[in-house]
Amino acid sequence: MADYLETIEDRSVFPSIEPGSLRPLFPAVPPEAPEPLAAILDDYRRLVEPNATGWQHPGFLAYFATTASGAGILGEMLTAAIGQNAMLWRTSPIATELEEVVVDWLRQALGLLEAFDGLLTDTASTSSLIALAAARQAAGLDVAALGLTGRPDLPALRVYASAEAHSSIEKACMTLGLGRDGLVRVPVDDMYAMRPEALEASIAADRAAGRRPIAVVATVGTTSSTAVDPVSAIADIAEREGLWLHVDSAYAGPVALLPHRRAAFAGWERADSIVVNPHKWLFTPLDASLLLTRRMPDLRAAFSLVPEYLRTLDREAPVRDYNEYTPQLGRRFRALKLWIQLRWFGLEGLRRRIERHLELAQAFARWVDDDPDWERLAPVPFSTVCFRWHPAGAATEADLDARNAAIMDAVNRTGEIFLSHTRLDGRFTIRLAIGNLRTERRHVERAWALLREAASA
Ligand SMILES: Cc1ncc(COP(=O)(O)O)c(C=O)c1O
């Protein structure tokens, strides 16, 4: 593990292989006899490490980073060794109570009031699913008991999120029986943020048509361009309309550790639930998502089911059995790695690293702005820059799309830097997202040099 991390920069951030080329390297049938560990580890080095995507590589500037810090890796090793299942207090008193401690530490670090309690899940997708299941339950239709089918009393249910909201919100609606039609995609302004007046109009139109609005999802840091929905204005509407407000800040949430940067989050303290992913910008090994909520009893109403074999003598005591708040029973001891990491970095260390990433993104945005051949395509509220090559008098939009795709591909083929893309207003947009623990200024400078080389080629 140490060797891998020490040599990470000598490796390609993305292996130059074709899909389907790996499977034939492995035996088609399972081993009948036990094999020596040395042989297994040799094969690990030969077959696994060179064919992995370099999420731990400082040149990883694609998607949103997930880096595993050394302290987090140690936490994962100890988690595996101690082998806890955090489903009941009885099945792991320490995993249960340390989860309460860590959730509360993170709440304080993010500057949120004590009214927020919560839990740890695997991903933001699960956290948002749980939040929206609770919102559905809180709508008073007792879906947990009665379901959604064969109920003539039930109007069509509606959830609202911006056109730029993450696909996990739509998936949650698919999973919860609301369907993709149950999600209303509210139009955005020219900064890619939800337009509150359009939200109001959508809700009014749905009510007039006999549909039942239940929740609104505001995003602070959208996936494509890291746009910030106006949470305060959305909270006003949610409050007036009696809707559950869920804030998805899976990527950007850790910025709230910096008190002077909290303006972007104004209004999120009024949310019913908030998701922030430590496995994105808090350098925690996948997986770790934090779901904070002021309405734990609604989560419990949505998911609690206690068969006899899960009943324990402690049930009358004030213990928390976390499985009652989630769809799954077995739960990982995620609090351990977070506890270790929070102590290892200190909030001060985390703030310093996040601030550095914010500064690097601003520097990159300036280089783009200052070069007449390049164009920035969105504001940079956090650490992600959206841009494209666009020299004066150049080509059609379709041609620009193709050329920018080729530029990104050329950079990625170097193996030094890994970028990803999105589409903004239909335009092919290169994204450079800084969030890897090991990324330094020289990597961002290298990305810029490679982009310009590729463009002139
Ligand atoms: C805003 C936002 N929400 C949710 C997610 C989904 O995160 P996860 O992979 O933890 O489910 C992402 C992923 O990038 C995201 O950017």
Side-chain angles (χ1 to χ4, degrees):
M1 287 186 256
D3 289 349
Y4 178 74
L5 294 173
E6 265 168 29
T7 57
I8 188 78
E9 261 192 89
D10 307 334
R11 299 165 185 274
S12 203
V13 64
F14 187 78
S16 49
I17 50 170
E18 291 306 315
S21 58
L22 298 178
R23 191 167 172 179
L25 304 178
F26 293 82
V29 292
E32 199 62 52
E35 296 183 55
L37 189 58
I40 301 168
L41 288 178
D42 277 352
D43 281 348
Y44 169 78
R45 290 196 162 186
R46 189 172 60 85
L47 297 171
V48 178
E49 284 184 350
N51 295 313
T53 297
W55 287 86
Q56 297 282 59
H57 193 294
F60 188 101
L61 304 171
Y63 310 105
F64 287 133
T66 289
T67 1
S69 70
I73 293 168
L74 179 64
E76 284 286 8
M77 293 162 70
L78 295 170
T79 302
I82 199 168
Q84 298 297 282
N85 186 334
M87 60 188 191
L88 304 171
W89 182 87
R90 166 72 65 199
T91 59
S92 185
I94 184 59
T96 301
E97 296 194 25
L98 193 55
E99 184 159 339
E100 291 177 315
V101 170
V102 165
V103 165
D104 199 58
W105 280 7
L106 288 167
R107 171 195 67 76
Q108 292 175 53
L110 295 168
L112 288 160
L113 297 172
E114 243 175 290
F116 282 93
D117 193 351
L119 46 83
L120 302 171
T121 75
D122 53 358
T123 57
S125 303
T126 300
S127 293
S128 291
L129 175 71
I130 292 172
L132 291 174
R136 190 183 64 174
Q137 190 61 21
L141 309 162
D142 202 7
V143 176
L146 305 175
L148 288 170
T149 57
R151 290 183 65 180
D153 62 310
L154 217 59
L157 307 180
R158 288 288 181 266
V159 170
Y160 304 82
S162 93
E164 293 285 320
H166 190 262
S167 54
S168 56
I169 304 304
E170 199 160 332
K171 272 200 184 182
C173 290
M174 291 159 70
T175 310
L176 292 169
L178 277 59
R180 296 175 68 175
D181 285 354
L183 179 67
V184 178
R185 292 284 195 167
V186 179
V188 293
D189 61 19
D190 54 8
M191 311 249 283
Y192 306 105
M194 189 194 285
R195 288 174 39 216
E197 73 286 2
L199 170 65
E200 265 182 319
S202 294
I203 294 171
D206 280 334
R207 287 208 194 280
R211 294 184 278 263
R212 172 84 188 273
I214 59 168
V216 53
V217 180
T219 310
V220 178
T222 58
T223 312
S224 274
S225 73
T226 73
V228 178
D229 286 342
V231 183
S232 285
I234 294 169
D236 287 343
I237 297 168
E239 204 170 283
R240 205 161 54 236
E241 298 283 345
L243 308 185
W244 183 289
L245 174 60
H246 177 60
V247 173
D248 179 357
S249 201
Y251 149 72
V255 173
L257 260 63
L258 300 142
H260 65 285
R261 298 246 185 208
R262 286 195 185 138
F265 300 86
W268 79 337
E269 69 285 353
R270 294 167 62 194
D272 296 281
S273 53
I274 297 174
V275 57
V276 174
N277 268 6
H279 77 215
K280 285 190 164 55
W281 209 354
L282 284 180
F283 321 121
T284 307
L286 198 79
D287 52 19
S289 176
L290 171 70
L291 176 61
L292 291 172
T293 178
R294 293 190 284 119
R295 300 180 64 171
M296 280 297 263
D298 290 306
L299 270 64
R300 194 175 184 182
F303 289 113
S304 178
L305 192 63
V306 186
E308 191 53 39
Y309 43 82
L310 294 178
R311 235 173 261 287
T312 68
L313 297 178
D314 315 297
R315 281 201 55 76
E316 297 310 315
V319 294
R320 173 167 281 173
D321 291 335
Y322 270 113
N323 85 85
E324 286 188 75
Y325 302 82
T326 63
Q328 80 276 41
L329 174 61
R331 300 178 71 252
R332 303 188 66 217
F333 184 7
R334 296 189 181 86
L336 182 59
K337 61 187 172 186
L338 283 165
W339 176 67
I340 292 172
Q341 270 206 189
L342 285 165
R343 296 183 62 187
W344 169 254
F345 286 109
L347 294 181
E348 186 190 294
L350 292 170
R351 286 191 194 107
R352 199 167 58 241
R353 286 166 176 86
I354 293 166
E355 186 77 61
R356 183 78 185 127
H357 290 166
L358 294 164
E359 286 164 10
L360 287 175
Q362 288 304 325
F364 186 87
R366 270 195 307 279
W367 304 335
V368 171
D369 290 348
D370 291 348
D371 190 322
D373 288 348
W374 294 80
E375 178 184 24
R376 193 152 54 77
L377 296 175
V380 183
F382 303 112
S383 66
T384 301
V385 186
C386 291
F387 61 98
R388 67 174 177 173
W389 178 74
H390 188 189
T396 61
E397 281 297 326
D399 196 34
L400 279 174
D401 282 0
R403 282 164 187 258
N404 277 281
I407 290 170
M408 188 180 83
D409 189 49
V411 171
N412 287 346
R413 278 178 191 281
T414 66
E416 290 182 62
I417 296 292
F418 188 31
L419 299 169
S420 62
H421 81 284
T422 188
R423 271 186 195 275
L424 292 174
D425 286 334
R427 296 168 299 186
F428 187 96
T429 303
I430 305 176
R431 277 168 88 266
L432 180 136
I434 300 166
N436 187 294
L437 184 57
R438 300 175 183 88
T439 301
E440 297 167 24
R441 186 179 174 96
R442 65 190 168 90
H443 303 107
V444 183
E445 285 172 349
R446 186 68 186 142
W448 183 228
L450 289 174
L451 280 159
R452 297 208 299 176
E453 267 171 40
S456 53

